[in-house]
């Protein structure tokens, strides 16, 4: 609905810039209609899962819009993943269709499970298929995003249209972005944060600018930011740190209005890079999020914000509409500066894991203090400081005892990345 309204109001505005190609909002809306009609014609009843298999981002973004318009839920795949992982997700998610483009049709057919039809979305757009606009319940699933599987088999995390829009609007309100912004899309579609960038950009009417960080690397990223006049850069701190370290001493990125860093610990040295490489109006967003909850906390750092030069930067305060609790092992609430497990409470958490009632029972529960809210047990450690800001510590085990002395491995990593020439650091115990 948002996409259709934006296409009506600003049909010639750029929705996607992919190299030399530009897709307007009118063209994106028409593509969504055509792809939705193709899916519904091939699969019948809506509200099932549809997997996406692309390497190029322009068609992938159109496919996302088409699946959502069809009232199905999209399941993005990373075409660069090992075949074992791709087959697992395709089997586990039980898709009725696998969307791809002409260049990948044969491989898609080899991967598709029994009963899953392979659709070339290029055919639908050339055919000029009439629009299909099935009614969509806000509580219907919008997507299923699979976790990395680093601690076991990948898990499909579900999310609804209504929850998606809650987090889009929260981000726009807190960060201050909208139709005039140009957002970076750096990673592959299968990364949950990248899918979030795409959905956020479409819903806000911004311009999504694509860059293949895997193929092109970091060396050319700053020049691309300038050339594309990117106003919102979303990256992991490692990428931003490496890019900033490569620039000449006086190089500034003048178009940036927001530098959004997440997915890894942010350190004081990263804030120093931010101040050196952006103009005074630019803000740094340190966001804590996870696939099961969406955004958890944000720390908006400006050029004049006081930030400690050593150690991790706090994750900030919980976003409006969520409550974050730190609890001891016995379930009681931890005191200020006391480390405990992070619990996230709200009305917009993921409905749960796809086909995993055992995991849902272990991780999700009703929030006893507020009707209609649910609680998610993250398994991560954190604490609130004296100013009410959340410090994210990570999984149990990042704090170790080295004969008689407690050592936080993240603090050691923070010290190492301040050394000249060091971009990444990882610390383990022997």
């Amino acid at each position: 609905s948002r996409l259709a309204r934006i296409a009506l109001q600003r049909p010639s505005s750029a929705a996607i810039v992919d190299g030399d190609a530009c897709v307007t909002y009118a063209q994106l809306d028409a593509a969504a209609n055509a792809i939705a009609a193709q899916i519904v014609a091939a699969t019948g009843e809506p509200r099932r899962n549809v997997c996406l298999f692309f390497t190029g981002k322009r068609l992938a973004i159109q496919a996302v819009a088409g699946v959502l318009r069809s009232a199905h839920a999209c399941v993005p795949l990373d075409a660069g993943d090992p075949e074992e992982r791709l087959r697992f997700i395709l089997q586990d998610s039980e898709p009725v269709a696998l969307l791809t483009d002409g260049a990948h049709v044969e491989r898609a057919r080899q991967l598709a499970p029994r009963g899953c039809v392979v659709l070339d979305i290029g055919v639908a757009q050339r055919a000029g298929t009439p629009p299909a606009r099935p009614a969509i319940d806000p509580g219907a699933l919008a997507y299923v995003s699979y976790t990395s599987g680093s601690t076991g088999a990948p898990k499909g995390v579900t999310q609804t249209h209504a929850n998606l829009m809650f987090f889009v609007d929260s981000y726009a309100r807190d960060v201050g972005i909208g139709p005039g912004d140009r957002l970076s899309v750096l990673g592959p579609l299968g990364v949950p944060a990248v899918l979030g960038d795409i959905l956020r950009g479409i819903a806000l009417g911004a311009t999504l600018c694509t860059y293949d960080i895997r193929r092109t690397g970091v060396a050319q990223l700053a020049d691309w930011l300038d050339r594309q006049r990117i106003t919102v850069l979303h990256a992991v701190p490692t990428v931003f740190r490496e890019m900033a370290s490569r620039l000449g001493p006086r190089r500034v990125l003048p178009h940036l209005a927001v530098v959004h860093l997440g997915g890894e610990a942010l350190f004081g040295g990263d804030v120093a890079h931010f101040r050196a490489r952006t103009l005074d109006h630019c803000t740094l967003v340190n966001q804590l999020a996870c696939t099961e909850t969406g955004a958890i906390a944000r720390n908006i750092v400006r050029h004049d914000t006081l930030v400690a030069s050593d150690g991790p930067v706090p994750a900030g305060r919980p976003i409006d509409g969520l409550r974050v609790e730190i609890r001891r092992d016995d379930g009681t609430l931890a005191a200020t500066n006391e480390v405990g497990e992070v619990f996230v409470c709200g009305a917009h958490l993921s409905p749960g894991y796809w086909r995993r009632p055992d995991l849902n029972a272990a991780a999700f529960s009703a929030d006893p203090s507020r009707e209609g809210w649910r609680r998610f047990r993250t398994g991560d450690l954190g604490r609130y400081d004296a100013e009410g800001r959340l410090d994210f510590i990570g999984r149990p085990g990042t704090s170790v005892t080295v004969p008689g002395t407690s050592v936080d491995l993240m603090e050691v990593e923070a010290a190492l990345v301040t050394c000249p020439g060091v971009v990444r650091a990882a610390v383990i115990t022997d």
Side-chain angles (χ1 to χ4, degrees), residues 41 253 277 304 340 362 419:
L253 303 169
R277 303 305 181 184
D304 59 356
C419 298

Side-chain angles (χ1 to χ4, degrees), residues 397-398 400 402 407-410 412-413 416 425-430:
T398 60
V400 299
V402 178
V407 177
D408 188 332
L409 300 183
M410 287 179 64
V412 181
E413 292 175 358
L416 289 173
V427 179
I428 60 173
T429 55
D430 185 359

Side-chain angles (χ1 to χ4, degrees), residues 104-122:
H104 300 88
V105 167
E106 286 308 313
R107 187 172 180 223
R109 287 173 177 161
Q110 294 170 7
L111 291 170
R114 186 183 299 274
C116 174
V117 60
V118 174
L119 301 177
D120 178 356
I121 66 169

